[in-house]
Amino acid sequence: MQNPSAFSSSVSRREAFRALAMTAGAFAFPSLLLPRLASAEEAKAAPTPVAPPALKTISLADRLTVITGAGGNVAVFTGEDGTVVVDAGVPAAAIGLIGEVSKLSKTPAATLINTHWHFDHTGGNDAFSRGGARIIAHANCRVRVSTDQVVEFLDMKAPASPKGAWPASTFTGEMSVHANGEEIHLTGVAPAHTDGDILVLFPKVNVLHMGDLYFNGSYPFIDYSSRGWIGGLVVGAEKALSLTDASTKIIPGHGPIATQDDLKGYLAFLKTAHERLAKFQKEGKTVDEVIAALPMKDYDDKLGKGFMPPDKFLRCTYTGLLRHG
C-alpha cells in the first residue's frame, strides 16, 4: 500500500460540471491541478471527460483504511456490524471506489458519512445508497445536496443530486454512530469551509477525519457561497485540535495524513491569515488592494503551489470575510 501526497484528477457531476474538464476536475481540489483556474469560456471549449481517477489505499489503523484519488480523502472502517465509509469522492470514481471498499470488506457499505456537501465528497452518494448504505450528514449538507447550488468563486452551478444521494439521517450538533466496536463521534461546527461541515472521530483507533476543514500542504478553499469564512475555519480547526492527542492520526479533506503537530501548524496559519485580513477589512481595503499587498507572502512557498495559488486564496478568502461582515 502507498501513502501518496498528491491526488489524481477527476470528472464532474452531470452536465453543469463539464466545465471542470479544463482544470482536470478542479472542484476535486487535487494537488496536481493546472497552476490557474480556467475561465468558463475556456472550459466550455474543452468538455471531453477525463478518465476515472486511479485510487490508492493506506492502512491507517486496525480495520481503518484511507483511499486517496477519488476526490476528497475517503475513510473505510470495517467490521462485523457493517462497513462505515466517510465521504464518497467524485462521480467518476464511484465504481472504482466501491470496488476498493469491496476488497476491504465482504459486505457492502452499511453507513456513509458525508463531511460536507461538495461533490468531490458526495459524488458517489447515489451509488453507495443503491448498494444499501444509509447516508448521514449535517442538516445543511442535505439541504445543499438536494437543491441547486452555485459555487460563486468558481463560477459554477451545482444542480441538485438525485434523491438517492440525499442524506437520510441529519443532525446539527453532535451524533454518535455505534458500529464495529466503536462509538464514532460526529461533531458539527459553525460555518467554516461551508455551513455543513462535520468532524468524524474514531476514538478507539484514535483517527480523526476533518473533511475540508483541513487542506494539508496547501491554501484552503473557503466556499463563501455556502457561508464559509476564515474565522469559522479557525474555530473549526480549534475544535478539531481539542479532539486530538499526540498519537492521533488526522485525515484531511485533501493532502497527506497529518499529526497533531501538523494540525497545530495549520491552525497557527489560519489564525495569522484571519488576523491579517481582518486588519485590512477594518481599514476598508478592497480585494485588489489586499492581493497587491501580499499579506501572506511568508506562507506562499509552502502553501501556494496547490489548487489555490496565493492570489486566488486571497481573493476568495478576503471576499468571504467581507461577505461575513
Side-chain angles (χ1 to χ4, degrees):
M1 293 185 179
Q2 191 173 357
N3 182 9
S5 60
F7 294 85
S8 301
S9 59
S10 58
V11 70
S12 63
R13 177 179 83 191
R14 296 164 63 175
E15 288 299 313
F17 279 105
R18 296 183 74 188
L20 296 180
M22 173 61 75
T23 54
F27 204 49
F29 311 118
S31 60
L32 297 181
L33 281 172
L34 298 176
R36 63 179 179 83
L37 297 175
S39 69
E41 290 73 19
E42 291 172 319
K44 290 176 182 177
T48 304
V50 295
L55 306 181
K56 299 177 182 178
T57 62
I58 173 174
S59 178
L60 199 59
D62 181 31
R63 296 176 291 125
L64 197 151
T65 301
V66 175
I67 301 177
T68 67
N73 285 333
V74 175
V76 182
F77 184 56
T78 61
E80 61 183 13
D81 296 331
T83 300
V84 178
V85 177
V86 182
D87 281 342
V90 296
I95 294 176
L97 184 57
I98 290 174
E100 289 299 318
V101 172
S102 71
K103 295 177 184 178
L104 300 170
S105 175
K106 295 179 180 179
T107 58
T111 303
L112 171 63
I113 301 168
N114 291 149
T115 60
H116 64 292
W117 79 269
H118 285 155
F119 98 114
D120 54 320
H121 299 259
T122 63
N125 275 20
D126 192 47
F128 274 101
S129 177
R130 290 173 184 272
R134 184 173 183 83
I135 305 172
I136 301 173
H138 192 286
N140 288 339
C141 177
R142 178 184 166 92
V143 170
R144 294 193 180 278
V145 168
S146 62
T147 58
D148 293 348
Q149 299 294 313
V150 175
V151 183
E152 185 179 337
F153 182 72
L154 299 179
D155 190 26
M156 292 174 186
K157 295 179 180 179
S161 296
K163 191 171 183 179
W166 303 356
S169 297
T170 62
F171 69 102
T172 55
E174 296 184 355
M175 180 177 179
S176 293
V177 176
H178 298 266
N180 306 325
E182 272 277 21
E183 182 178 348
I184 305 168
H185 299 309
L186 311 182
T187 303
V189 301
H193 171 64
T194 69
D195 61 3
D197 304 302
I198 67 170
L199 298 162
V200 183
L201 177 67
F202 298 82
K204 287 188 178 179
V205 296
N206 203 8
V207 172
L208 175 66
H209 197 315
M210 290 183 61
D212 283 2
L213 292 171
Y214 189 5
F215 283 67
N216 188 13
S218 63
Y219 281 132
F221 168 65
I222 304 173
D223 185 4
Y224 55 80
S225 300
S226 297
R227 299 180 61 226
W229 74 296
I230 182 68
L233 203 56
V234 169
V235 174
E238 287 176 331
K239 179 61 179 178
L241 185 61
S242 75
L243 300 176
T244 69
D245 59 35
S247 299
T248 305
K249 295 177 181 178
I250 302 168
I251 305 171
H254 302 275
I257 305 304
T259 65
Q260 185 188 59
D261 283 343
D262 294 328
L263 179 54
K264 287 179 179 178
Y266 177 69
L267 177 57
F269 147 70
L270 291 177
K271 288 181 175 179
T272 298
H274 185 209
E275 179 181 341
R276 293 177 184 177
L277 295 182
K279 182 175 182 293
F280 284 118
Q281 182 186 26
K282 290 180 180 179
E283 295 171 352
K285 299 295 185 182
T286 67
V287 173
D288 288 337
E289 287 173 332
V290 170
I291 293 172
L294 303 175
M296 302 304 297
K297 62 182 178 181
D298 48 332
Y299 286 94
D300 286 351
D301 285 344
K302 180 179 180 180
L303 301 178
K305 298 177 182 178
F307 166 71
M308 297 290 282
D311 61 329
K312 302 295 185 188
F313 168 71
L314 289 172
R315 184 173 298 281
C316 182
T317 305
Y318 190 62
T319 298
L321 182 60
L322 294 178
R323 293 283 181 88
H324 183 77

